[in-house]
Amino acid sequence: MTTRVPEHDGVAYRTPPPAAPQDTSIGDLISDISTDLSQLVRDEIELAKAEIKEETTKAGKAMGMLGGAGYAGHLVLLLGSFTVIFALGNVMDIAWAALIVTAVWAVVGAVLYTTGRKRLRTVNLKPEQTMETLKEDARWARHPRS
């Protein structure tokens, strides 16, 4: 069975098939929206997981390099201290030279400790802005306004 396409001005036009009657209920539409929204949220969560995994891998490698740099810096300080001790050993007894270098490092350590402790006391780990935003969201969810 062949359908004939009517021609108009030498151009063939195919008429669209008649639309199927809408038998979709509101419940079905809401169910479809809910399903689509759930899938969208799942997809977004998977995307976030993939991005976080990629970023943590990069951060882990960078932290490893920083750890290596810290160890190298520690060796520089240690060997540099020995150099100063031996240089002072040419002027005084080696034991006194070692004691002087040790005392200098003790002062540096004490200053770093007290400064770090003061700064650490000012740190607030509670995410205040996030907590306030969540409270506002909860209030809005209980009493939505148009």
Side-chain angles (χ1 to χ4, degrees), residues 64-86:
M65 290 179 184
L66 288 176
Y71 180 71
H74 176 266
L75 288 176
V76 166
L77 287 175
L78 182 65
L79 296 174
S81 296
F82 282 136
T83 301
V84 171
I85 289 170
F86 289 125

Side-chain angles (χ1 to χ4, degrees), residues 8-65:
H8 180 64
D9 295 333
V11 178
Y13 293 98
R14 184 173 298 272
T15 56
Q22 293 291 339
D23 292 337
T24 308
S25 69
I26 293 177
D28 290 339
L29 290 174
I30 292 174
S31 174
D32 289 346
I33 291 171
S34 175
T35 302
D36 291 345
L37 186 60
S38 296
Q39 185 61 42
L40 178 65
V41 169
R42 276 189 236 110
D43 291 346
E44 290 297 328
I45 289 172
E46 288 301 316
L47 177 62
K49 284 181 183 178
E51 286 179 334
I52 289 171
K53 183 178 179 182
E54 182 180 332
E55 291 302 311
T56 41
T57 300
K58 288 195 299 189
K61 289 177 182 179
M63 291 300 291
M65 290 179 184

